[in-house]
Amino acid sequence: MTVSSGVTFTKNSSGLIVFASGTATQKLTSAGIDIGNIQVSASTTATTLTLQDALNADNVTIAASQTLSTGTGNYAISCAGNWANPGTFTAGTGTITFDGSAAQTIDPTTFYNLVIANTHASAEVTLTSGTVTVTNTLNVNDGIFTIGTGNTLDVNYNGLSAANIANGATLKVNGGTVTVDGGNSAQASVASGGILNIASGSFTSQGGMLLNGKLKMAGGTLNLGNIAPTNDALVIGATGGSDTGDVTGGTINLTGNYGTIQKYILIVNDGGKFLPAITTDDTGNLVVLRVPNAATDYIKNLSTSGNFANVIFNRLQIGDASYGTTYIRHSASNTAPLYVYNKFTIYSGSIFDHSLTVSQPLYIDKFVCDGTYTKYSSGNNMFYMIDGDGVPGNGSISGASDPNFSNLDIGNGSAVTVTLGRGITAESLDIASGA
């Protein structure tokens, strides 16, 4: 079928062009004209429809045992409707863009480049079932792309632009699984004005994440980084992060290894935010920092004094069952304190090193020391036990190890109660009036 350039082609929104060949192969030239709904179907033999130029269509259906090919030119496809693929799609190195103005669905398919550019403000682009694989890059440029329960989105590119969420666009994980796992450089990026929304399910980026936009999280798991990194595990940009109310639950696992290439497990640039909802028990958001055996990594918060309160953890844990010998240092280049308003835990076998000469102070509500807390030998580092969760009587120092502090301050000038579950040692101890 050939539609010549300059001709008038009027599609019927309820109509359908069926390509059914008795000789197995058909070609389509459409001159960039929107040709409406198409279907690759069988006649006496299986049909292969090969594009001769870019395709602009509404609903696209590839029937069972049939094939749609982007051809030797790896021609682009714009799909404004649903993508049904019981058959075979030969992507080549082409790009498919879903650019509808209403809800769209995508069947399990392997794409090369996948672009979501739906213009509707609330209707979603969703997967029907199973797995959609992207062998090169994913770009969510507009609209809401949702990965629901039982569905998987797998992006295989190994580079900084593997998965991107643009200004005005949202990638929502609602019970499904997203993996950006093409290699240790496979980085996800959320631009300023873009949103990654994890309601439940999991999002994994092997090469970490550059977060200049917004993270929303009610549950599920966010896994960033690897043990042989070429990127920092999580970088929160000056316009990025999570504001009050954006993060209410879920677990964020950050994995890194500073090693010889000096990549941080967490960097927050001045102006960036991480402000999860604060709970009073073992609920709400948990951030876990993990490095492999005998390795070290660093937290680097570059917030200036006016933005110190922009980064507050609900629960922060150093190490876990899989990375029980994690060694995390509070970087000497930090310009901001470390705030944990619910619980700070050092996992058994792991170390939190607060010994660098210019380390900023720690402000903690509940401290569980099952591993090792390392203070600075000259006694200049402050460890404040505060009321972070709004319950001044529930502060505690507990765990399997006896921590040794440089300067321990109970209350930081406020009346709080801290229950000791372990013995402690401190070079200096200050207990506020009423505490």
Side-chain angles (χ1 to χ4, degrees), residues 93-115:
T93 57
T95 298
I96 181 163
T97 301
F98 289 89
D99 58 357
S101 57
Q104 294 181 267
T105 59
I106 305 173
D107 270 2
T109 302
T110 296
F111 300 105
Y112 184 71
N113 294 319
L114 176 61
V115 176

Side-chain angles (χ1 to χ4, degrees), residues 28 30 35 38 51 53-57 60 68 75-79:
L28 172 60
S30 55
I35 62 173
I38 71 166
L51 301 183
D53 62 2
L55 172 64
N56 188 0
V60 175
L68 173 61
Y75 294 111
I77 298 175
S78 295
C79 177

Side-chain angles (χ1 to χ4, degrees), residues 329-378:
R329 306 188 80 180
H330 203 219
S331 172
S333 56
N334 269 288
T335 56
L338 176 65
Y339 297 97
V340 184
Y341 275 12
N342 182 355
K343 182 182 288 186
F344 178 44
T345 301
I346 304 175
Y347 194 83
S348 177
S350 294
I351 299 170
F352 182 78
D353 189 344
H354 192 210
S355 69
L356 300 179
T357 57
V358 292
S359 285
Q360 292 286 337
L362 274 59
Y363 293 84
I364 310 296
D365 188 293
K366 292 177 282 293
F367 180 36
V368 180
C369 188
D370 290 325
T372 301
Y373 168 77
T374 303
K375 65 180 180 65
Y376 182 54
S377 59
S378 297

Side-chain angles (χ1 to χ4, degrees), residues 44-312:
T44 57
T45 59
T47 297
T48 296
L49 177 63
T50 302
L51 301 183
Q52 305 301 299
D53 62 2
L55 172 64
N56 188 0
D58 293 337
N59 295 317
V60 175
T61 301
I62 309 169
S65 301
Q66 316 308 307
T67 301
L68 173 61
S69 171
T70 59
T72 57
N74 299 299
Y75 294 111
I77 298 175
S78 295
C79 177
N82 298 325
W83 178 272
N85 182 25
T88 300
F89 175 61
T90 304
T93 57
T95 298
I96 181 163
T97 301
F98 289 89
D99 58 357
S101 57
Q104 294 181 267
T105 59
I106 305 173
D107 270 2
T109 302
T110 296
F111 300 105
Y112 184 71
N113 294 319
L114 176 61
V115 176
I116 306 298
N118 188 285
T119 58
H120 197 279
S122 59
E124 300 176 358
V125 179
T126 58
L127 309 186
T128 58
S129 63
T131 299
V132 165
T133 300
V134 181
T135 60
N136 200 50
T137 62
L138 167 71
N139 285 280
V140 185
N141 289 343
D142 199 0
I144 304 170
F145 187 25
T146 299
I147 313 302
T149 301
N151 298 332
T152 297
L153 174 65
D154 185 21
V155 182
N156 297 152
Y157 180 69
N158 186 25
L160 297 181
S161 58
N164 308 285
I165 306 170
N167 179 23
T170 297
L171 177 59
K172 182 177 181 181
V173 185
N174 192 21
T177 300
V178 178
T179 54
V180 183
D181 58 358
N184 289 345
S185 296
Q187 187 184 63
S189 176
V190 185
S192 179
I195 299 172
L196 173 62
N197 184 353
I198 304 174
S200 57
S202 66
F203 184 104
T204 299
S205 181
Q206 186 175 347
M209 177 178 291
L210 178 59
L211 183 62
N212 286 315
K214 179 167 289 191
L215 171 65
K216 292 186 175 183
M217 194 171 190
T221 306
L222 175 62
N223 303 301
L224 301 175
N226 63 83
I227 64 173
T230 56
N231 311 314
D232 303 304
L234 175 60
V235 179
I236 300 178
T239 61
S242 303
D243 214 332
T244 304
D246 288 337
V247 174
T248 58
T251 298
I252 301 173
N253 294 312
L254 304 181
T255 304
N257 182 353
Y258 192 75
T260 59
I261 54 175
Q262 301 180 352
K263 297 300 179 182
Y264 289 85
I265 200 165
L266 174 63
I267 297 176
V268 183
N269 288 297
D270 190 26
K273 293 183 177 182
F274 185 71
L275 295 170
I278 305 301
T279 60
T280 61
D281 51 19
D282 286 328
T283 61
N285 181 255
L286 169 66
V287 177
V288 182
L289 307 182
R290 316 183 303 181
V291 297
N293 293 346
T296 303
D297 216 320
Y298 294 80
I299 301 171
K300 185 166 74 168
N301 183 353
L302 299 176
S303 299
T304 52
S305 59
N307 292 324
F308 281 174
N310 281 355
V311 182
I312 299 172

